[in-house]
């Protein structure tokens, strides 16, 4: 083979390697950013849950809560009562058998 052909092959291979390297770096960076978003969203979900629990505990302790939140707090209390009722029924059924 002549030198020009070998040089052309070398340039093609070098260019392909550069492209693969660049694309790999982009994929790694995209994956890192997506993981960071996932972790931040998971932390925000926990923060929202904590905030909701704090508001509900304030409602239980003081009965005072923003009027817009009162129906939600009352709904939680009703659901907790229903859970306790169902658990009581489960215990009764277990004792019968």
């Amino acid at each position: 083979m002549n030198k020009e052909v070998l040089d052309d092959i070398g340039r093609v291979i070098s260019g392909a390697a550069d492209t693969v390297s660049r694309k790999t770096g982009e994929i790694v960076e995209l994956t890192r950013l997506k993981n960071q978003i996932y972790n931040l969203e998971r932390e925000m979900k926990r923060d929202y849950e904590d905030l909701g629990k704090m508001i509900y505990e304030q409602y239980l302790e003081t009965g005072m809560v923003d009027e817009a939140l009162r129906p939600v707090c009352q709904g939680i209390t009703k659901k907790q009562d229903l859970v306790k009722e169902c658990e009581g029924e489960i215990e009764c059924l277990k004792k019968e058998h």
Side-chain angles (χ1 to χ4, degrees):
M1 281 192 198
N2 67 25
K3 185 169 177 5
E4 283 182 23
V5 173
L6 291 175
D7 287 345
D8 287 345
I9 292 172
R11 278 192 291 276
V12 168
I13 291 172
S14 179
D18 289 344
T19 300
V20 169
S21 177
R22 190 179 75 250
K23 290 291 184 183
T24 300
E26 290 172 5
I27 291 170
V28 167
E29 183 65 10
L30 285 171
T31 301
R32 184 191 68 77
L33 290 169
K34 287 181 180 184
N35 282 336
Q36 186 174 358
I37 290 169
Y38 172 79
N39 288 331
L40 290 168
E41 287 176 340
R42 196 175 70 212
E43 289 175 15
M44 288 185 331
K45 182 179 178 185
R46 279 193 302 258
D47 291 344
Y48 284 132
E49 290 172 358
D50 291 344
L51 178 61
K53 287 176 184 177
M54 290 179 348
I55 291 170
Y56 183 68
E57 288 170 359
Q58 175 187 351
Y59 166 76
L60 290 178
E61 290 174 13
T62 66
M64 293 174 36
V65 70
D66 185 273
E67 200 55 41
L69 300 174
R70 188 173 302 281
V72 176
C73 291
Q74 290 170 338
I76 291 171
T77 301
K78 287 179 185 176
K79 289 175 182 116
Q80 286 177 334
D81 291 343
L82 289 171
V83 166
K84 289 177 187 173
E85 187 178 307
C86 289
E87 289 173 341
E89 289 179 27
I90 289 172
E91 286 303 314
C92 287
L93 288 172
K94 285 181 178 180
K95 288 179 183 177
E96 291 176 6
H97 291 81

